[in-house]
Amino acid sequence: MGTQLGNILYGVLLVFRWLGLIILTIASMGILISEATKNKLSPGKVFAVTGSAIVAAVLFWILPTIINYARVDSGTVVQDYPIGRYGR
């Protein structure tokens, strides 16, 4: 299906995806708790922290897909010709 290096990199990207989501969840919960203990937590702050955490989580979730699209399309942007050889 793919090369061994490709499989390893795909596995690393999946681990990065899940660790990123876990870290974002812990960080956003920490921010909400610290803001709640400092002062009365307004609905605007709750929505702002929740919204930014959701946007960051979506970006972490689609990152492997974006990297895969860039890898596949890189052959069309920079042709894979050896030095000194002309294109087709």
Side-chain angles (χ1 to χ4, degrees), residues 37-53:
T37 57
K38 280 196 282 187
N39 54 7
K40 184 178 175 185
L41 195 61
S42 66
K45 286 185 181 180
V46 171
F47 288 137
V49 171
T50 305
S52 62

Side-chain angles (χ1 to χ4, degrees), residues 4-69:
Q4 185 68 21
L5 179 61
N7 291 335
I8 291 171
L9 289 176
Y10 184 70
V12 167
L13 285 175
L14 290 179
V15 168
F16 179 75
R17 172 190 281 177
W18 285 107
L19 287 177
L21 288 175
I22 292 168
I23 291 170
L24 281 171
T25 304
I26 291 170
S28 62
M29 291 303 292
I31 291 171
L32 279 175
I33 291 171
S34 69
E35 286 294 324
T37 57
K38 280 196 282 187
N39 54 7
K40 184 178 175 185
L41 195 61
S42 66
K45 286 185 181 180
V46 171
F47 288 137
V49 171
T50 305
S52 62
I54 289 172
V55 168
V58 167
L59 289 176
F60 264 99
W61 189 258
I62 64 172
L63 182 65
T65 306
I66 291 172
I67 291 174
N68 190 33
Y69 287 157

